[in-house]
Amino acid sequence: METEVRLAERFDTDRGHLRAVAYRMLGSLDEADDAVQETWLRASRTDIGEIANVTGWLTTIVGRVCLDMLRVRRRRGEELTAEPVASSAPGADPEDEAVLAESVGLALLVVLDTLGPAERVAFVLHDLFAVPFTDIAAILERSTVAAKKLASRARRRMHGTPAVPAADLVRQREIVGAFLAASRAGDLEALLAVLAPDVVRRTDRVAPGGEGEVRGARRIAEETLTNTARARVADLALVDGEIGLVVAPRGRLLLVLRVEVDGDRVTAVDVIADPVRLRRLRIALAQSGLR
């Protein structure tokens, strides 16, 4: 009875940590909560009297649970989609998940979705939560060397390969970041300052009454101000080796903006919404540090 009480107290203390691990593994708040609940059910069947590091033990259990869930998802053929995915369970607070996704990093969640189950588990546990490779290997039922290789491969995919020199990448990040900040703030003057006078916006999915191509800084700035909601769920990302934007409500990919920069101005914005084109893009993190 004493060990059961100790486990319950420890689990309550670690619940936030376990939820954070599961959310990064699964990219869905309700699935993360399901994983935490399953972790409790599995843990509660065990006598923790001989377990020295209960938090580490619980983390390995939630890792196994998430791996199972990712494998089921893969078998069902789930993949990146250009349509918004309802990732909250009935009764869940979508705003809560939106805030969580933004705090984690929308681009991070999008790129994590490109990894296979074993790669995702190895990367998240080691690179984001510093779980030793010996523990990860046990979860994956592979050797420690194999677990290290999976994390390394995932890391390369997460960070991608820039297609331009480092100095150009820094400049792109500054300009595209300024464009995003002005879009979120609804600041017309700031948008005009970052857009070239003859900037062009193209899209592969035209809404009724819309235009596939729009030219001119003022027209594009005014159009952008009608989409501030999308700007709030956008994040910088490396798109085919150059800085662009992913629009990802709750971390689910909806659109990609390829942004061309010349000097200190944006000269073109290509909005990609077609699912086939989205799947062909190489999306990676725009920054070396992870949030």
Side-chain angles (χ1 to χ4, degrees):
M1 185 66 180
E2 182 180 343
T3 58
E4 291 175 3
V5 171
R6 186 160 70 91
L7 175 59
E9 291 174 347
R10 183 76 256 177
F11 191 87
D12 283 342
T13 300
D14 289 338
R15 185 183 296 275
H17 163 74
L18 298 173
R19 192 178 192 235
V21 172
Y23 183 70
R24 286 156 181 78
M25 292 271 205
L26 301 168
S28 164
L29 188 56
D30 62 298
E31 288 187 353
D33 288 337
D34 287 345
V36 172
Q37 181 62 27
E38 177 62 23
T39 298
W40 166 250
L41 292 175
R42 295 188 187 186
S44 62
R45 304 185 192 114
T46 305
D47 183 350
I48 64 167
E50 301 299 321
I51 298 172
N53 182 356
V54 176
T55 298
W57 173 68
L58 290 171
T59 302
T60 61
I61 294 176
V62 80
R64 289 192 184 98
V65 171
C66 290
L67 179 62
D68 291 343
M69 294 173 73
L70 288 168
R71 284 171 171 167
V72 169
R73 184 189 295 178
R74 175 60 64 90
R75 285 197 295 271
R76 289 174 178 170
E78 294 178 18
E79 57 188 8
L80 286 176
T81 173
E83 300 298 331
V85 177
S87 58
S88 291
D93 185 354
E95 186 174 347
D96 183 26
E97 183 160 7
V99 171
L100 181 57
E102 290 181 39
S103 69
V104 169
L106 297 171
L108 175 62
L109 293 174
V110 168
V111 184
L112 281 171
D113 264 347
T114 69
L115 303 178
E119 289 177 334
R120 187 162 181 165
V121 168
F123 177 82
V124 169
L125 289 182
H126 182 266
D127 284 46
L128 302 187
F129 292 96
V131 175
F133 278 119
T134 51
D135 294 346
I136 296 171
I139 293 169
L140 299 175
E141 298 181 332
R142 304 194 187 192
S143 68
T144 302
V145 172
K148 289 180 179 179
K149 287 182 178 178
L150 284 166
S152 177
R153 189 165 65 215
R155 198 175 300 121
R156 288 195 299 271
R157 293 182 65 181
M158 293 295 295
H159 295 294
T161 303
V164 297
D168 290 343
L169 204 66
V170 170
R171 178 173 52 84
Q172 287 179 3
R173 183 157 37 200
E174 290 175 352
I175 303 305
V176 179
F179 172 75
L180 177 59
S183 301
R184 286 174 172 170
D187 190 333
L188 178 62
E189 293 305 316
L191 279 170
L192 292 173
V194 79
L195 294 172
D198 57 349
V199 62
V200 57
R201 188 276 296 152
R202 311 178 190 90
T203 182
D204 61 12
R205 180 171 289 183
V206 183
E211 299 177 70
E213 183 174 301
V214 174
R215 290 184 177 272
R218 182 162 291 274
R219 287 194 66 194
I220 292 173
E222 290 174 348
E223 178 188 75
T224 300
L225 294 185
T226 68
N227 289 310
T228 55
R230 283 187 175 176
R232 286 194 291 270
V233 292
D235 202 359
L236 294 173
L238 204 62
V239 180
D240 288 341
E242 300 192 40
I243 300 295
L245 295 168
V246 292
V247 179
R250 289 181 285 169
R252 303 292 185 164
L253 187 62
L254 177 67
L255 305 169
V256 167
L257 277 63
R258 300 187 65 152
V259 184
E260 294 180 22
V261 173
D262 187 5
D264 60 354
R265 298 290 185 94
V266 172
T267 58
V269 178
D270 288 311
V271 182
I272 301 170
D274 179 72
V276 174
R277 292 187 66 198
L278 286 173
R279 283 193 290 270
R280 290 173 180 166
L281 296 174
R282 291 179 293 107
I283 302 173
L285 296 177
Q287 64 282 338
S288 57
L290 294 176
R291 284 180 284 177

